[in-house]
Amino acid sequence: MDGELKVFAGSSNRALAQNIADLLDQPLGSATVERFPDGESRVQINENVRGADVFVVQSTSAPVDTHLMQLLIMIDALTRASAGRITAVIPYFGYARQEKKTTGREPITAKLAANLLEAAGATRVMTLDLHAPAVQGFFDIPVDHLQASPLLADAMRRVLCGEVVVVSPDAGGVARAHDFSQRLDDASLAIIFKNRTAPDAVQPLNVVGDVAGRTAVLVDDLISTGGTIGEGAQALQERGAREIYVCASHGVFAGASLEVLAHAPLERVFVSDSVPLPRQTNGAAITQVATAPLFAEAVRRVHNEESITALFT
Ligand code: R5P
């Protein structure tokens, strides 16, 4: 693309945006992102973007609505300032778990978020490990769907020892866990069948697969309340797992999740830095894996019209 490459950041994850810009040898674009006294978001783009190939980095993490709105307003400002192309770089895509109706009179909020991004003027989306890959289809613009698993598997390989079993904490995550097991030298696979009794409460029912005496790696797309992982780790310990690790693409860490993880029988939790880690981890052993090299390379490739698929093959 001919336009000059520019990277802007919302306020959700400035550290990641800065690291991406640094790796691209670009200064972060100058923008004011603040609030009016009544709480409305205010954005001002402070430099010329006419014809530019602009990438706006913003995870729609908590406060989710504020960060989504900020992103929409930044895209609107860039559209009205005649940017040539606007890519919403959304390391963590909030609302992706509301991607289908599970009962009557429910919204499909992931689709609404996609509509809003397009209506604001996004011409492309780049994101990481969507809760459901089908959310890509909610957009009628190109979506670059990046994977954190190669980075997470590299980091985990350095600490894992003994016979490894990769565990999906629920039936829906089997494909993800299977992919991860292949990245860990064809580790074996086990599945926990969980029962969600309330939005913030889960009860594991059964573990299918052999975990006794093995190093178990629970793999999930995200950790929110920590309920899925906490209960899953408990079930694995009861079935004789030797050590239990966790690997999740997004450390959302809502509510008391860090305490839940600190009290669970876990050696360590690995997450990407798509969402900033809280200052205090309250005793939970967490390793954040840097995604800036991945995003920077993907941005470089998109700007130069090179393949993204080649990054993962
Ligand atoms: C569920 O389908 C997801 O893959 C995660 O397992 C879930 O969203 C994690 O949430 P929590 O940490 O609140 O159990």
Side-chain angles (χ1 to χ4, degrees):
M1 157 114 191
D2 289 340
E4 190 187 346
L5 192 161
K6 285 181 184 273
V7 181
F8 284 84
S11 67
S12 71
N13 198 338
R14 278 192 74 87
L16 175 56
Q18 185 67 63
N19 291 340
I20 295 170
D22 288 349
L23 288 167
L24 291 163
D25 275 331
Q26 296 287 329
L28 258 191
S30 173
T32 304
V33 183
E34 58 184 19
R35 280 181 180 282
F36 284 108
D38 63 358
E40 291 179 355
S41 295
R42 180 180 112 79
V43 168
Q44 172 81 49
I45 305 296
N46 299 322
E47 62 184 65
N48 178 26
V49 292
R50 196 170 286 272
D53 188 15
V54 179
F55 294 80
V56 187
V57 182
Q58 175 83 323
S59 278
T60 48
S61 52
V64 181
D65 296 349
T66 299
H67 286 149
L68 175 61
M69 199 62 204
Q70 253 181 25
L71 176 59
L72 296 169
I73 296 172
M74 289 185 84
I75 293 169
D76 182 73
L78 291 160
T79 303
R80 293 174 194 282
S82 304
R85 179 167 69 178
I86 304 166
T87 303
V89 180
I90 312 175
Y92 169 64
F93 191 101
Y95 282 121
R97 284 183 293 173
Q98 297 184 44
E99 93 287 15
K100 59 177 178 294
K101 289 177 71 163
T102 50
T103 179
R105 298 186 296 280
E106 273 193 334
I108 302 182
T109 317
K111 171 63 177 149
L112 175 63
N115 288 348
L116 290 170
L117 286 161
E118 283 190 47
T123 49
R124 188 174 194 99
V125 168
M126 180 181 290
T127 188
L128 181 77
D129 289 341
L130 287 162
H131 170 68
V135 170
Q136 290 172 81
F138 292 181
F139 291 91
D140 287 324
I141 52 177
V143 177
D144 296 306
H145 190 205
L146 309 185
Q147 300 166 31
S149 51
L151 299 172
L152 290 165
D154 276 352
M156 296 202 78
R157 247 185 250 113
R158 291 185 210 122
V159 299
L160 298 177
C161 55
E163 203 177 342
V164 176
V165 55
V166 173
V167 185
S168 173
D170 52 37
V174 174
R176 182 183 304 120
H178 179 250
D179 170 78
F180 205 74
S181 70
Q182 291 186 318
R183 293 185 188 279
L184 294 180
D185 306 321
D186 268 330
S188 58
L189 195 61
I191 303 162
I192 298 175
F193 287 95
K194 77 177 178 187
N195 183 24
R196 191 171 278 281
T197 50
D200 59 353
V202 290
Q203 213 178 36
L205 292 182
N206 203 1
V207 179
V208 176
D210 203 357
V211 300
R214 299 187 185 185
T215 300
V217 180
L218 271 163
V219 174
D220 210 345
D221 59 326
L222 67 92
I223 301 173
S224 179
T225 64
T228 302
I229 292 303
E231 299 284 345
Q234 197 64 46
L236 295 175
Q237 187 190 47
E238 283 161 14
R239 284 152 183 87
R242 196 173 64 87
E243 285 186 327
I244 304 163
Y245 289 87
V246 174
C247 166
S249 304
H250 308 290
V252 172
F253 300 133
S257 58
L258 292 166
E259 285 79 4
V260 171
L261 297 177
H263 292 107
L266 296 171
E267 300 300 317
R268 183 157 285 276
V269 175
F270 288 76
V271 291
S272 85
D273 59 357
S274 62
V275 179
L277 203 56
R279 230 178 279 266
Q280 304 287 335
T281 55
N282 299 346
I286 297 173
T287 296
Q288 259 198 338
V289 176
T291 56
L294 172 64
F295 278 106
E297 178 60 14
V299 167
R300 194 192 64 73
R301 284 173 182 249
V302 168
H303 180 65
N304 294 333
E305 312 287 1
E306 292 173 23
S307 166
I308 295 291
T309 304
L311 270 178
F312 302 102
T313 49

